Amino acid sequence: MTNYSLPTLNYGFHALEPYIDQRTMEIHYGKHHQTYVNNLNSALEGKPELQEKSLEELLGNLAAVPEQIRTAVRNNGGGHLNHTLFWEVLAPSTENKTPTGKLKEAMDAAFGSFDKFKLEFTAAATTRFGSGWAWLIVDGKGNLQVTSTPNQDNPIMDGNHAILGLDVWEHAYYLNYQNRRPEYISSFYNIMNWDVVSEKFESSIK
Ligand code: MN3
């Protein structure tokens, strides 16, 4: 039986400054993410047949989740999965680092170059209306694509595997950037952990 809990952060709340400030990290991780975890556990309470499935299994086949908790699992399960990935793909002091190895080759093939990937990802994050996420995904054929989703939806809901995600909900940036979402998005390129994204890419094409 699964009781979900917050993942451990590999860095301190202050570590991503000046790009993501300490107070935003404290609230985002300790309050927002914790709330998704709590609500997901509440939704699954007393349902051992659902608790024994992985979150990817539940979100990959929402039609199999009982209707009365389907929206709660979608929003809060998605919230937990999305934020868990987000914390993992962030790291302090990654300025000027770029993808290498197989991921670089695949990105060049899919987008033309790293700079062209950035343009596409920035556009996806900027134009996602309201709350949601921008993604780098591996599709069912093993190809890389940039996408975005509303709310806490995760690409697994369409059978795709996210290897990088950027939270563009206002709670992710409002304290530091207010309405300046584009500035928050461009700062993300200074704190992306490409080693982790590479590992996720390589394990998703096995
Ligand atoms: Mn968030």
Side-chain angles (χ1 to χ4, degrees):
M1 144 177 183
T2 312
N3 199 33
Y4 293 98
S5 57
L6 282 181
T8 305
L9 287 185
N10 294 321
Y11 41 80
F13 290 133
H14 64 281
L16 305 174
E17 293 204 359
Y19 306 108
I20 299 180
D21 62 289
Q22 174 166 350
R23 189 75 183 124
T24 295
M25 283 300 297
E26 287 167 356
I27 296 170
H28 199 178
Y29 173 83
K31 306 284 184 195
H32 290 277
H33 191 171
Q34 184 70 61
T35 300
Y36 297 122
V37 167
N38 294 347
N39 290 345
L40 176 61
N41 285 331
S42 301
L44 298 178
E45 205 174 313
K47 299 185 172 58
E49 73 286 0
L50 298 180
Q51 289 169 338
E52 69 192 20
K53 290 189 181 182
S54 71
L55 205 40
E56 288 85 351
E57 282 178 286
L58 289 173
L59 296 172
N61 187 11
L62 278 167
V65 174
E67 204 180 344
Q68 68 271 22
I69 61 162
R70 194 175 297 151
T71 301
V73 169
R74 178 179 193 150
N75 291 339
N76 297 290
H80 180 40
L81 192 61
N82 295 348
H83 288 86
T84 299
L85 174 66
F86 188 47
W87 310 133
E88 276 186 74
V89 300
L90 293 171
S93 307
T94 64
E95 286 95 338
N96 302 318
K97 286 196 183 163
T98 56
T100 55
K102 283 184 186 165
L103 178 61
K104 178 188 174 358
E105 286 169 28
M107 288 179 80
D108 287 348
F111 307 110
S113 66
F114 179 62
D115 284 340
K116 284 182 179 159
F117 155 77
K118 281 170 71 175
L119 286 176
E120 207 171 308
F121 190 86
T122 298
T126 307
T127 58
R128 165 49 56 193
F129 183 76
S131 298
W133 291 75
W135 305 102
L136 176 62
I137 62 162
V138 180
D139 69 16
K141 293 175 182 163
N143 295 318
L144 289 171
Q145 283 182 45
V146 165
T147 63
S148 73
T149 56
N151 306 315
Q152 293 297 350
D153 284 0
N154 182 281
I156 195 79
M157 294 172 189
D158 295 317
N160 298 312
H161 186 74
I163 60 171
L164 172 72
L166 175 62
D167 189 344
V168 294
W169 284 56
E170 283 189 345
H171 70 224
Y173 61 86
Y174 203 84
L175 287 181
N176 199 24
Y177 296 94
Q178 293 81 49
N179 61 326
R180 304 188 306 277
R181 187 194 282 192
E183 225 176 281
Y184 161 71
I185 294 166
S186 61
S187 75
F188 181 50
Y189 298 104
N190 297 308
I191 46 175
M192 280 179 174
N193 191 335
W194 287 109
D195 293 337
V196 168
V197 181
S198 276
E199 281 167 28
K200 290 182 180 296
F201 174 66
E202 294 195 19
S203 63
S204 71
I205 56 169
K206 268 183 192 148

